[in-house]
Amino acid sequence: MIENEEKVPKKELVGKVQQLISQGYRFVTISCVELDEKYFDLLYHFDKDLTLITLRVVVERGETVPSITVLLFGAFLIENETQDHFGIVFEDSVLDFGGKLYLGDDVRRTPFCKYGIKDVSKTKQESE
Amino acid sequence: MFKKFIEKSQLKSPWIVHLDCGSCNGCDIETLACLTPMYDIERFGILNIGNPKHADVLIVTGTVNHRNKHILRNVYNQMPEPKMVVAVGACGLTGGVFRDAPNVVGGVDKVIPVDVYVPGCPGKPEAIIDGVIEALAKLAELQKEGRKKK
Amino acid sequence: MKNIIPFGPQHPVLPEPIHLSLTLEDEIVIEAVPALGYVHRGLEKLADIRDFNQMIQVCERVCGICSMIHALCYCQGLEDMMKVEVPERAKFLRTIWSEIHRMHSHLLWLGLYADSFGLESLFMQFWKIRERIMDINEVTTGSRVIVSVNIIGGVRRDISAEQIRWILGELKIVEKEFIALQETMNNEYTVKKRTVGIGYLSKELAHSLGAAGAVLRGSGISQDMRQLKYAALSHLDFEPIVEYGGDCYSRGLVRFREVLQSIDLVRQAVDKLPDTEISVKVKGNPEGEVINRVEQPRGECLYYLKGNGTKFLDRVRIRTPTFANVPPLAHILPGADLASVPVIVLSIDPCISCTER
């Protein structure tokens, strides 16, 4: 459990972010954690006067997440990174690299996921 | 006569091009430190330039990943023959601490042939200068062979 | 007429590979789209095969320039998670080394920055001064760049009284030589011509784009993670340095003044250096979640760590300062001349290996 943490359902995320911005919070980053075979945690970190608050959103594998880049342009890099590493797709992103921010065109896999090993070995052989 | 002149100047004043290939910056700043008043490689006539088409020696730092291997090959192919490649740092040699990371191919020699390996994490400026000098000795041998063939 | 010019990844002014697609109309940039991935290694994933002690060495190599501070952030996070009380002397030593690291990073940047607007002799001068700092690193820790002193529960090495005297002597020379360059760096007509008013970022934009470090402070927002009083900073006098111009010149000025501030902080820390142990033994494995933030030379750095009770961490998430400064960069480039692009790119102090990890 992290200090100043709040659980937010996925539907209310954009509204909550909007509310924080109007209160003068500065966007810090998003952290993504793979919980188990089915779920991911997305942690949205915001900062105001050196206090950090965190919104926790639980996402199911294969689901899309609403993008917050409409409100915060600064989030485009981290959203694309998360898409590269974990394969979570963000809807209506302002600047979408389509999962190719870091990875080469010949690599098609999500390197940060523990589960889905079958897929990885297959694409690994292809890329080599 | 002209050819002899070029061969001689290649050894006496080699031009190097530096390519950062996914290193942690440690080796890069040490390579840059070679240029500064403390180590000053320009006193040996070694010049750091940005254009691979002018260069004789390629200094590569860092691991190779799936995206920059194309850049590395591209820069290497643009350099005129005869050319030398110096790989700097543990990452450039084998992949170092990153060898098991998901997006890492491995050392520089998996993509292009490497002539001199400079170890260290990061390689010290003295070692890097030494590596370039070593590469020049190899270059001289190459030139000799080239003359024999004719 | 519109032209698209690729900038990088192998470019003479950049020591590191970043690629920018610049859309130009005549000589003016109208759009800049960054493309990354040339330094990506995916080292956060290494937490699966390296245990939490070995991860310190991996974290140091996120970025060679601020290696010590990365390890500091990671160790502080884990100490927080495992409820370890670090001895006072270790805290002071950590502060001393991290400030020395900040000086070396800023001097490096000032040199590269001078080079970006063509003052090569100034580049040489800054790097000449920097060699003294590198010597301090080498004498006290054994390595010039990657300073591997942090362990969980303290530090690995001590600084002797004799070394401290020598360090203070070196710092005196550094300070004198550094101040001698002040006139050129901050008041010279040609330097001002290239930097004042270039790459303007307003206070509101800096805030909403989530900028960090000198970019944020150069735009008039007084925020420095050292205000969190981590390590020994609670015992030292510290005020964040703020400039209000929001342009390249202000960002340069912030970093210039921070070097002098770091010298001051090292002196304060050396004065108050307590005489205790330098490390404690740590037992058990980390469990739980923790966030730790420190101020790096480039800005705020955030580590999110999640342990599961085994010696392998579940997740190590590293948010580095340049990562936060790339969106502001994409915002301030439009409107600039093509010739100013290198100056603006360098003014955020890009560290690409940090950004991509």
Side-chain angles (χ1 to χ4, degrees):
Chain A
M1 193 72 187
I2 315 165
E3 273 176 54
N4 305 326
E5 187 195 299
E6 195 180 333
K7 259 206 161 127
V8 179
K10 204 177 74 179
K11 270 184 241 151
E12 294 167 22
L13 174 70
V14 175
K16 182 76 194 168
V17 171
Q18 174 80 65
Q19 194 188 331
L20 285 177
I21 295 170
S22 58
Q23 282 168 17
Y25 277 90
R26 183 173 63 90
F27 172 70
V28 179
T29 195
I30 307 170
S31 305
C32 180
V33 190
E34 191 181 40
L35 294 176
D36 49 31
E37 274 179 61
K38 215 171 167 199
Y39 294 104
F40 292 101
D41 251 358
L42 281 179
L43 306 169
Y44 288 70
H45 307 291
F46 289 85
D47 168 282
K48 186 188 187 184
D49 300 330
L50 303 171
T51 31
L52 198 70
I53 69 158
T54 303
L55 308 180
R56 188 186 290 266
V57 184
V58 180
V59 185
E60 213 173 302
R61 193 178 294 262
E63 270 186 336
T64 56
V65 182
S67 169
I68 58 164
T69 46
V70 190
L71 306 168
L72 291 159
F73 176 70
F76 81 89
L77 258 186
I78 178 60
E79 286 192 352
N80 280 298
E81 186 189 289
T82 314
Q83 192 176 343
D84 266 32
H85 287 168
F86 293 96
I88 295 175
V89 179
F90 289 85
E91 257 171 55
D92 306 324
S93 179
V94 175
L95 198 59
D96 193 353
F97 287 84
K100 293 207 169 65
L101 176 68
Y102 290 151
L103 307 175
D105 293 339
D106 45 352
V107 185
R108 288 306 322 129
R109 59 193 170 115
T110 48
F112 276 48
C113 292
K114 275 181 198 158
Y115 301 97
I117 295 162
K118 243 187 207 165
D119 244 332
V120 173
S121 59
K122 214 171 156 190
T123 41
K124 217 178 185 179
Q125 280 165 7
E126 279 167 15
S127 69
E128 268 165 9
Chain B
M1 190 359 225
F2 186 60
K3 192 150 188 236
K4 220 173 180 182
F5 176 70
I6 287 187
E7 280 184 357
K8 194 176 175 191
S9 51
Q10 218 171 17
L11 293 180
K12 292 292 173 194
S13 173
W15 287 13
I16 55 174
V17 61
H18 166 226
L19 181 69
D20 175 350
C21 210
S23 100
C24 73
N25 276 344
C27 298
D28 297 330
I29 54 179
E30 294 294 67
T31 311
L32 267 180
C34 293
L35 300 172
T36 56
M38 185 81 166
Y39 298 100
D40 196 14
I41 49 169
E42 278 183 30
R43 68 200 152 127
F44 301 123
I46 304 175
L47 224 59
N48 187 8
I49 44 152
N51 194 333
K53 291 202 171 177
H54 300 170
D56 306 307
V57 180
L58 173 66
I59 293 186
V60 190
T61 53
T63 58
V64 181
N65 72 16
H66 288 286
R67 182 168 281 185
N68 66 26
K69 68 183 178 196
H70 305 295
I71 313 282
L72 178 60
R73 206 172 283 138
N74 201 348
V75 168
Y76 179 75
N77 288 339
Q78 282 181 32
M79 285 170 61
E81 295 278 354
K83 53 195 165 190
M84 282 288 136
V85 178
V86 180
V88 176
C91 308
L93 269 48
T94 59
V97 278
F98 309 126
R99 64 187 177 277
D100 300 321
N103 198 14
V104 167
V105 177
V108 175
D109 51 6
K110 294 220 166 143
V111 182
I112 56 169
V114 176
D115 299 292
V116 180
Y117 298 87
V118 179
C121 185
K124 289 188 72 168
E126 292 95 331
I128 295 170
I129 296 172
D130 212 37
V132 174
I133 305 290
E134 197 93 332
L136 292 181
K138 273 197 157 181
L139 198 64
E141 258 169 48
L142 267 186
Q143 288 178 349
K144 237 186 224 165
E145 272 171 33
R147 256 174 294 185
K148 265 184 202 164
K149 266 181 201 163
K150 275 163 206 161
Chain C
M1 206 178 101
K2 273 186 194 169
N3 291 312
I4 296 180
I5 293 189
F7 181 85
Q10 204 270 334
H11 193 280
V13 289
L14 292 172
E16 286 184 275
I18 183 176
H19 176 85
L20 291 167
S21 289
L22 303 171
T23 312
L24 301 185
E25 214 172 85
D26 295 334
E27 283 286 292
I28 311 289
V29 180
I30 52 171
E31 202 192 357
V33 178
L36 304 164
Y38 300 100
V39 205
H40 182 252
R41 292 150 289 184
L43 58 81
E44 290 169 7
K45 188 66 182 160
L46 282 175
D48 284 359
I49 41 174
R50 304 258 194 273
D51 70 33
F52 68 91
N53 280 314
Q54 292 171 327
M55 270 309 277
I56 301 174
Q57 270 70 42
V58 176
C59 287
E60 274 163 4
R61 283 157 184 80
V62 169
C63 164
I65 305 176
C66 25
S67 61
M68 190 267 158
I69 310 181
H70 269 292
L72 171 70
C73 191
Y74 175 81
C75 289
Q76 277 182 359
L78 273 187
E79 281 152 9
D80 205 12
M81 200 194 282
M82 296 163 82
K83 313 247 171 342
V84 179
E85 192 53 50
V86 181
E88 282 293 298
R89 189 176 176 90
K91 285 186 184 173
F92 274 82
L93 289 175
R94 279 176 174 181
T95 310
I96 292 172
W97 272 312
S98 67
E99 292 310 316
I100 285 174
H101 241 75
R102 194 180 316 278
M103 275 184 252
H104 125 67
S105 170
H106 279 344
L107 283 167
L108 171 132
W109 177 81
L110 284 162
L112 289 178
Y113 185 54
D115 196 38
S116 79
F117 47 71
L119 266 179
E120 209 183 324
S121 58
L122 199 57
F123 162 73
M124 295 292 180
Q125 292 291 337
F126 279 122
W127 280 60
K128 193 180 116 201
I129 301 172
R130 181 175 162 269
E131 285 299 330
R132 287 190 190 275
I133 307 282
M134 304 309 276
D135 284 348
I136 296 179
N137 270 345
E138 195 169 5
V139 168
T140 53
T141 68
S143 173
R144 277 163 56 87
V145 179
I146 298 200
V147 173
S148 192
V149 285
N150 283 298
I151 48 173
I152 292 157
V155 289
R156 216 191 280 276
R157 277 167 180 266
D158 203 350
I159 301 182
S160 67
E162 196 185 337
Q163 279 174 337
I164 284 174
R165 267 199 303 281
W166 176 76
I167 290 173
L168 289 176
E170 289 287 286
L171 284 183
K172 214 173 220 167
I173 305 172
V174 168
E175 192 179 22
K176 196 175 141 225
E177 289 183 354
F178 188 68
I179 287 178
L181 298 179
Q182 192 168 22
E183 192 57 31
T184 322
M185 191 68 199
N186 298 339
N187 294 327
E188 173 71 27
Y189 171 77
T190 46
V191 176
K192 277 190 161 173
K193 195 91 184 160
R194 289 300 300 273
T195 55
V196 174
I198 305 287
Y200 177 71
L201 183 70
S202 70
K203 190 175 173 179
E204 291 72 32
L205 258 179
H207 190 269
S208 76
L209 290 173
V215 181
L216 195 64
R217 291 195 290 280
S219 290
I221 297 174
S222 156
Q223 190 172 33
D224 191 318
M225 286 307 130
R226 281 178 283 177
Q227 286 167 302
L228 288 172
K229 307 275 180 205
Y230 61 86
L233 285 161
S234 51
H235 302 278
L236 310 177
D237 272 344
F238 171 76
E239 270 297 311
I241 284 168
V242 189
E243 289 288 335
Y244 297 91
D247 51 6
C248 293
Y249 179 71
S250 298
R251 294 194 272 277
L253 217 54
V254 168
R255 295 195 180 99
F256 193 93
R257 288 172 56 197
E258 275 186 3
V259 175
L260 296 172
Q261 184 190 41
S262 289
I263 295 177
D264 177 52
L265 281 175
V266 172
R267 283 187 186 143
Q268 284 185 43
V270 162
D271 264 354
K272 294 180 182 165
L273 194 63
D275 204 11
T276 63
E277 291 287 303
I278 55 165
S279 65
V280 287
K281 262 220 149 65
V282 177
K283 281 191 194 124
N285 289 326
E287 189 168 14
E289 284 176 292
V290 79
I291 294 176
N292 193 34
R293 292 191 292 170
V294 298
E295 182 76 14
Q296 280 193 341
R298 285 163 186 73
E300 165 198 24
C301 171
L302 178 144
Y303 269 60
Y304 165 82
L305 306 167
K306 188 177 180 188
N308 53 5
T310 65
K311 62 178 182 173
F312 299 104
L313 290 170
D314 250 5
R315 178 89 167 104
V316 177
R317 159 96 179 101
I318 308 166
R319 202 298 302 257
T320 54
T322 312
F323 197 89
N325 283 336
V326 169
L329 175 67
H331 231 274
I332 56 181
L333 275 174
D337 290 338
L338 180 61
S340 295
V341 169
V343 181
I344 296 176
V345 171
L346 269 171
S347 81
I348 68 155
D349 198 353
C351 174
I352 309 304
S353 73
C354 267
T355 314
E356 302 177 6
R357 304 176 304 282

